[in-house]
C-alpha cells in the first residue's frame, strides 16, 4: 500500500502535504490535479507533514487535492541511446517533442524501445558476476556501450545464459542470472538508478593519475585538470565561461560528454540546442553530438528541475564511467542550481545561511563534486568522470557563498576576470589567481615529467613568476611613471606581456589556435622563456615597447599557423632575425 496525502499549503511550487503513513526524503509523489498527475519530490518530512517540490507549474492546485507517494526516488533511465539525446532534468526527450514545451503531467520516454542494437556477449554461462560487471556490449555510435549487471543487484550471481550475438531492443532479455537463493533474474539493456545516489560498482577510487588535455594552454600548462578531476570557472556575465566550457567540451580528451545547461538567459538554452549539434570534434572530424548527452532546463520548468538536471547529468556520467570510459561533465551554470536551492529553502522558511542560501549549501556542493573521480573497475580497467562547472557570481564578487563553497569542493580554479575580458585578453583566466591543486600531487608531477619533460612543472612555475613580476612592475610604472623607473622594469613588464599575449591568450574561434596540443605548448613555452632569459639593451622605454610588440606579433602569428607548416617556419625565421637585432 502506498502512502497517501492531501495538499494543505501551496507556495509557488513548494507544496505541503498532510500524509497518512511513512514517507522518505527524496521520495517522489504524484499530486492529482483534476486528472493530471504532477510529479513532485519530497524535500523535507516533519511528523505527518511533508514538504514537496513540484517539477511543474502548480497553477490551479488547491488545498485538499490528493497525493500518492510512489515509494521511489527520482531515477534516471540508463541504456544505449543516451548519447546524441537532448533531455530536460527529468529526462524528457526534448528532440521528440513538438516545440520545446511539454504539457503538464506529460512525460516522454528517454530511450527508444524499437531500435535494434548489435549485441555481442562478453560473459559466459557459469561466470560469477556482481553489480556493474559487464555481460555484453553494443556499439553506440562508435563507442562500445557495455551492458552491465544492474547497479541495484546485491550479492553474487551466476550467469545462466547470455543471449548469442544478434540484434536486440533495450527491452529484450539479454541475460539470465541466478541469485544466491537460486532464483532466476532476467537482465535487459536498460536499468534505472536514483539520481541523487552515487553509482558504486567499482573496486576503488584512487587519486587521479594523469591530466586531461584540453588544448587550452592556460589550463593544460599553467593549471592542468586531472582526468577524473574537478574544476570550476567563476566569472561575471560575458567574461567567456560558456565559450571556455565549449572549447573544453570540443577538445577535451574524453569519450563521452554530458552537458548540463542551466541557462543564464533563456536564449542560451536555445543556443545550446542549435549550436552544439553543429560542433565538430577536431580529433575525429565527427559530430561531437554523437558522443554527447545534453541536459537542459527549458524556461517553463520550475526551479526544482534545475536541481534534477545536474544530478541526472552526473548519473549518466557515472553510468558510462562504469563501462571503462572517460567522461566529461560540464555544468553551466551551477549558480542557477544554487539559486534553485535558495528559492526552495526560503519557501520552506528555513533558517537561512549566508546571502539567504541554505546553510548546508557547502556540503551539497561538496557531495556533488565528490561524485567525480577516476575509478578502478572490478575487472581492473579504469573509467573517469571529470567535472567542470561554471559559477556566475553576482556582480563578479568571488566572496559570495556559491563561489566560496565551490572553491572548497573543486580542485582547479579558473578565475575569469572582468578586466581581462574588457581588454579582450581571452580566455580571460587570471593566471595569478587561478590554480590547480593537482600540481601538488606527486603522481601528476611525475606524469608530466614523463609525458612532457622532466622538470616541466618547475618550468611552468618560472613562467608564472615572470607573469607575477611583470604585474608588480606594471604597478610600479603606474605609480612612478614611464620615466620614473629603471629600464629593467619595462623589460620585465614586457616579458610578462609576451607570455600573456603569445601563450596565455588563445582564440577559441580559430580552428588552429583553439586546439594547442601539449607538445606544441611546450615548444611555445620554451621559445618564450628563451626570450625571457635574454638580456636586452634599450635606449628608452619606447624602443623597448616597440621591440616587444614586434616579438609578440610574430609569436601570435605562429599560433595561428599549422605547427611546422612553411608559414609557421617563416615566422620562426622572422622571430630569429628580430632577436638578432638586440639582446643575448
Ligand atoms: P559568459 O558565459 O561568461 O557569460 P560567454 O562565454 O558567452 O560569456 O562569452 C562572451 C563573449 O566573449 C563571446 O561571445 C565571445 O565574443 C567572447 N569570448 C569569450 N571567450 C573567448 C575566447 N576564448 N576567444 C575569443 N572570444 C571569446
Ligand atoms: Mg554563459
Amino acid at each position: 500500500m502506498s502512502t497517501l496525502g492531501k495538499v494543505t499549503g501551496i507556495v509557488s511550487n513548494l507544496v505541503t502535504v498532510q500524509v497518512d503513513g511513512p514517507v522518505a526524503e527524496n521520495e517522489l509523489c504524484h499530486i492529482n490535479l483534476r486528472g493530471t498527475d504532477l510529479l513532485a519530490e519530497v524535500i523535507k518530512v516533519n511528523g505527518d507533514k511533508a514538504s514537496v517540490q513540484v517539477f511543474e507549474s502548480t497553477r490551479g492546485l488547491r488545498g485538499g487535492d490528493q497525493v500518492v507517494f510512489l515509494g521511489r526516488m527520482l531515477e534516471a533511465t540508463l541504456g544505449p541511446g543516451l548519447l546524441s539525446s537532448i533531455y530536460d532534468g527529468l529526462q524528457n526527450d526534448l528532440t521528440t517533442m513538438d516545440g520545446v514545451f511539454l504539457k503538464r503531467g506529460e512525460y516522454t520516454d528517454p530511450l527508444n524501445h524499437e531500435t535494434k542494437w548489435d549485441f555481442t556477449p562478453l560473459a559466459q554461462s557459469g561466470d560469477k558476476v556482481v553489480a556493474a560487471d559487464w555481460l555484453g556490449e553494443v556499439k553506440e555510435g562508435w563507442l562500445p556501450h557495455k551492458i552491465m549487471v544492474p547497479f541495484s543487484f546485491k550479492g553474487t550471481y551466476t550467469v545462466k545464459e547470455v543471449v548469442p550475438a544478434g540484434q536486440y531492443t533495450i527491452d529484450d532479455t539479454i541475460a539470465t542470472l541466478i541469485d544466491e537463493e537460486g532464483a532466476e533474474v532476467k537482465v535487459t539493456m536498460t536499468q534505472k538508478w536514483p539520481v541523487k545516489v552515487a553509482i558504486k560498482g567499482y573496486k576503488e577510487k584512487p587519486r587521479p593519475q594523469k591530466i586531461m588535455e584540453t588544448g587550452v594552454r592556460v589550463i593544460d600548462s599553467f593549471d592542468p585538470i586531472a582526468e577524473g578531476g574537478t574544476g570550476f570557472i567563476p566569472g561575471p556575465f560575458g567574461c567567456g565561461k560558456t565559450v571556455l566550457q565549449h572549447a573544453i567540451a570540443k577538445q577535451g580528451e574524453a569519450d563521452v560528454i554530458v552537458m548540463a545547461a542551466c541557462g543564464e538567459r533563456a536564449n542560451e538554452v536555445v543556443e545550446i540546442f542549435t549550436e552544439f549539434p553543429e560542433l565538430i570534434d577536431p580529433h575525429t572530424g565527427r559530430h561531437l553530438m554523437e558522443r554527447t548527452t545534453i541536459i537542459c532546463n527549458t524556461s517553463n520548468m520550475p526551479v526544482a528541475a534545475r536541481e534534477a538536471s545536474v544530478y541526472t547529468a552526473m548519473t549518466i556520467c557515472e553510468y558510462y564511467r562504469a563501462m571503462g570510459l572517460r567522461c566529461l561533465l560540464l555544468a553551466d551554470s551551477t549558480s542557477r542550481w544554487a539559486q534553485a536551492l535558495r528559492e526552495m529553502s526560503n519557501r520552506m522558511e528555513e533558517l537561512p545561511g549566508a546571502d539567504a542560501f541554505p546553510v548546508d549549501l557547502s556540503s551539497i556542493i561538496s557531495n556533488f563534486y565528490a561524485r567525480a573521480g577516476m575509478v578502478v573497475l572490478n575487472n581492473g580497467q579504469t573509467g573517469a568522470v571529470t567535472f567542470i562547472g561554471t559559477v556566475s557570481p553576482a556582480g563578479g564578487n568571488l566572496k559570495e557563498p556559491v563561489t566560496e563553497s565551490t572553491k572548497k569542493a573543486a580542485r582547479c580554479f579558473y578565475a575569469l576576470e572582468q578586466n581581462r575580458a574588457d581588454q579582450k585578453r581571452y580566455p580571460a583566466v587570471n593566471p595569478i589567481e587561478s590554480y590547480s591543486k593537482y600540481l601538488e600531487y606527486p603522481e601528476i608531477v611525475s606524469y608530466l615529467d614523463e609525458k612532457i619533460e622532466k622538470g616541466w612543472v618547475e618550468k611552468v612555475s618560472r613562467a608564472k613568476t615572470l607573469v607575477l613580476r611583470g604585474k608588480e612592475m606594471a604597478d610600479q610604472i603606474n605609480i612612478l611613471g614611464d620615466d620614473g623607473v629603471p629600464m629593467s622594469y619595462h623589460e620585465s613588464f614586457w616579458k610578462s606581456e609576451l607570455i600573456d599575449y603569445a601563450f596565455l591568450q588563445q582564440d577559441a574561434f580559430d580552428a588552429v589556435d583553439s586546439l594547442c596540443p601539449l607538445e606544441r605548448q611546450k615548444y611555445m613555452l620554451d621559445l618564450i622563456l628563451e626570450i625571457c632569459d635574454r638580456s636586452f639593451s634599450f635606449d628608452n622605454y619606447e624602443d623597448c615597447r616597440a621591440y616587444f610588440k614586434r616579438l609578440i606579433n610574430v609569436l601570435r602569428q605562429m599560433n595561428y599557423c599549422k605547427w611546422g607548416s612553411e608559414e609557421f617556419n617563416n615566422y620562426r625565421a622572422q622571430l630569429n632575425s628580430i632577436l638578432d637585432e638586440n639582446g643575448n
Side-chain angles (χ1 to χ4, degrees):
M1 264 302 287
S2 35
T3 300
L4 300 176
K6 270 196 176 53
V7 172
T8 55
I10 305 154
V11 186
S12 181
N13 67 318
L14 176 78
V15 170
T16 40
V17 180
Q18 169 99 33
V19 295
D20 74 355
V23 289
E25 257 174 44
N26 293 328
E27 184 175 347
L28 292 181
C29 62
H30 275 145
I31 306 180
N32 190 284
L33 179 111
R34 286 174 289 293
T36 303
D37 280 332
L38 305 184
L39 191 66
E41 182 185 27
V42 176
I43 44 180
K44 207 166 130 193
V45 188
N46 199 345
D48 62 353
K49 288 232 171 4
S51 302
V52 307
Q53 56 176 346
V54 188
F55 292 116
E56 302 178 75
S57 160
T58 54
R59 190 169 24 86
L61 202 64
R62 287 188 295 228
D65 282 346
Q66 287 290 331
V67 182
V68 181
F69 290 87
L70 304 180
R72 60 179 169 86
M73 293 194 267
L74 183 66
E75 291 167 327
T77 302
L78 305 169
L82 290 169
L83 300 181
S84 320
S85 295
I86 303 182
Y87 297 122
D88 69 13
L90 303 180
Q91 236 188 333
N92 289 301
D93 187 344
L94 299 182
T95 55
T96 61
M97 289 163 26
D98 304 334
V100 191
F101 303 120
L102 281 173
K103 284 210 202 78
R104 270 205 294 184
E106 225 174 62
Y107 295 93
T108 71
D109 223 309
L111 297 176
N112 186 309
H113 293 267
E114 270 93 59
T115 309
K116 298 233 175 199
W117 298 91
D118 239 325
F119 176 84
T120 315
L122 292 175
Q124 294 170 351
S125 60
D127 285 356
K128 300 277 183 217
V129 292
V130 295
D133 281 352
W134 301 346
L135 297 171
E137 176 180 306
V138 300
K139 278 267 173 297
E140 183 176 15
W142 41 282
L143 281 180
H145 184 121
K146 302 290 189 290
I147 307 302
M148 296 172 271
V149 177
F151 302 127
S152 58
F153 280 27
K154 294 193 173 67
T156 307
Y157 294 75
T158 310
V159 177
K160 181 174 179 222
E161 189 200 6
V162 180
V163 293
Q167 304 248 311
Y168 303 90
T169 71
I170 56 167
D171 301 312
D172 290 331
T173 296
I174 56 94
T176 309
L177 310 180
I178 298 169
D179 71 12
E180 283 161 6
E181 267 85 60
E184 279 191 10
V185 266
K186 307 240 177 258
V187 176
T188 66
M189 291 199 235
T190 176
Q191 58 170 315
K192 289 185 189 261
W193 185 260
V195 298
K196 289 201 176 158
V197 180
I199 293 175
K200 288 280 161 35
Y202 48 78
K203 202 156 53 184
E204 50 178 335
K205 200 170 177 183
R207 298 214 301 195
Q209 310 287 317
K210 49 156 114 167
I211 71 161
M212 183 190 77
E213 249 186 270
T214 65
V216 179
R217 292 185 287 265
V218 69
I219 296 182
D220 295 353
S221 287
F222 265 47
D223 296 304
I225 184 152
E227 188 174 291
T230 52
F232 83 116
I233 309 173
F237 180 75
C239 284
K241 297 181 293 297
T242 305
V243 171
L244 185 56
Q245 254 200 350
H246 283 203
I248 297 169
K250 216 162 62 174
Q251 301 167 185
E253 279 200 313
D255 302 308
V256 168
I257 297 146
V258 179
M259 180 91 208
C262 314
E264 308 252 66
R265 299 161 283 150
N267 65 336
E268 278 195 348
V269 172
V270 178
E271 273 167 32
I272 287 265
F273 259 78
T274 50
E275 275 172 26
F276 228 85
E278 301 287 313
L279 293 183
I280 299 292
D281 175 347
H283 300 294
T284 61
R286 305 176 69 119
H287 279 280
L288 194 63
M289 207 52 211
E290 286 180 46
R291 51 190 185 84
T292 303
T293 304
I294 296 176
I295 315 277
C296 51
N297 291 305
T298 54
S299 48
N300 68 330
M301 294 198 86
V303 288
R306 288 187 203 154
E307 206 205 342
S309 66
V310 295
Y311 286 102
T312 300
M314 179 59 92
T315 305
I316 292 174
C317 278
E318 288 173 332
Y319 174 61
Y320 281 99
R321 175 172 69 185
M323 299 176 200
L325 297 173
R326 300 168 303 174
C327 309
L328 174 60
L329 174 59
L330 299 165
D332 186 18
S333 108
T334 59
S335 294
R336 304 289 131 184
W337 164 41
Q339 280 160 11
L341 296 172
R342 171 161 72 181
E343 279 180 43
M344 290 321 285
S345 104
N346 293 357
R347 277 177 206 152
M348 289 202 296
E349 296 175 349
E350 279 176 349
L351 206 59
D355 285 6
F357 282 101
V359 269
D360 54 351
L361 178 73
S362 215
S363 70
I364 293 173
I365 291 178
S366 298
N367 288 338
F368 187 79
Y369 273 79
R371 287 174 69 170
M374 202 267 272
V375 300
V376 179
L377 307 175
N378 294 333
N379 62 9
Q381 300 210 33
T382 59
V385 173
T386 308
F387 175 46
I388 303 177
T390 67
V391 174
S392 25
N397 165 26
L398 295 185
K399 293 268 172 280
E400 58 88 42
V402 184
T403 312
E404 293 251 281
S405 304
T406 311
K407 220 170 169 177
K408 282 183 220 150
R411 302 205 160 264
C412 293
F413 175 66
Y414 303 112
L416 298 191
E417 194 185 37
Q418 186 77 58
N419 205 8
R420 286 182 70 82
D422 290 345
Q423 297 174 23
K424 305 243 173 303
R425 295 183 181 223
Y426 292 122
V429 176
N430 180 319
I432 293 161
E433 266 164 44
S434 303
Y435 59 77
S436 163
K437 290 193 185 156
Y438 296 109
L439 290 176
E440 294 161 16
Y441 288 24
E443 49 276 61
I444 295 286
V445 174
S446 20
Y447 173 80
L448 292 169
D449 276 348
E450 185 91 349
K451 171 101 186 170
I452 307 177
E453 70 175 322
K454 189 132 188 60
W456 171 252
V457 174
E458 287 96 74
K459 186 180 271 182
V460 169
S461 110
R462 200 150 63 81
K464 286 180 182 166
T465 309
L466 289 171
V467 172
L468 185 61
R469 196 188 303 154
K471 196 188 167 309
E472 288 161 6
M473 295 302 127
D475 292 344
Q476 290 295 316
I477 296 169
N478 265 335
I479 297 167
L480 302 169
D482 284 323
D483 293 312
V485 296
M487 193 56 63
S488 64
Y489 282 36
H490 287 284
E491 212 178 291
S492 290
F493 168 69
W494 279 101
K495 282 175 177 171
S496 76
E497 287 289 83
L498 191 74
I499 298 174
D500 192 337
Y501 276 98
F503 195 77
L504 300 178
Q505 294 176 39
Q506 202 169 349
D507 187 346
F509 301 110
D510 180 80
V512 175
D513 192 29
S514 71
L515 174 61
C516 187
L518 272 182
E519 304 138 86
R520 186 169 178 169
Q521 296 188 24
K522 174 187 180 306
Y523 178 92
M524 287 310 285
L525 195 65
D526 279 344
L527 195 56
I528 290 164
L529 286 177
E530 211 181 290
I531 299 172
C532 291
D533 284 341
R534 288 172 168 243
S535 41
F536 298 92
S537 52
F538 297 107
D539 293 335
N540 55 60
Y541 69 85
E542 272 129 353
D543 284 356
C544 172
R545 177 167 62 201
Y547 183 82
F548 272 95
K549 281 192 166 170
R550 283 166 67 207
L551 290 177
I552 286 171
N553 189 34
V554 176
L555 283 161
R556 273 174 75 109
Q557 293 298 335
M558 285 169 73
N559 281 334
Y560 280 95
C561 300
K562 256 207 163 109
W563 197 25
S565 65
E566 202 186 322
E567 229 189 331
F568 180 90
N569 293 333
N570 286 342
Y571 282 119
R572 181 70 182 83
Q574 215 174 311
L575 187 77
N576 278 348
S577 69
I578 300 174
L579 289 172
D580 285 343
E581 289 173 26
N582 196 332
N584 46 61

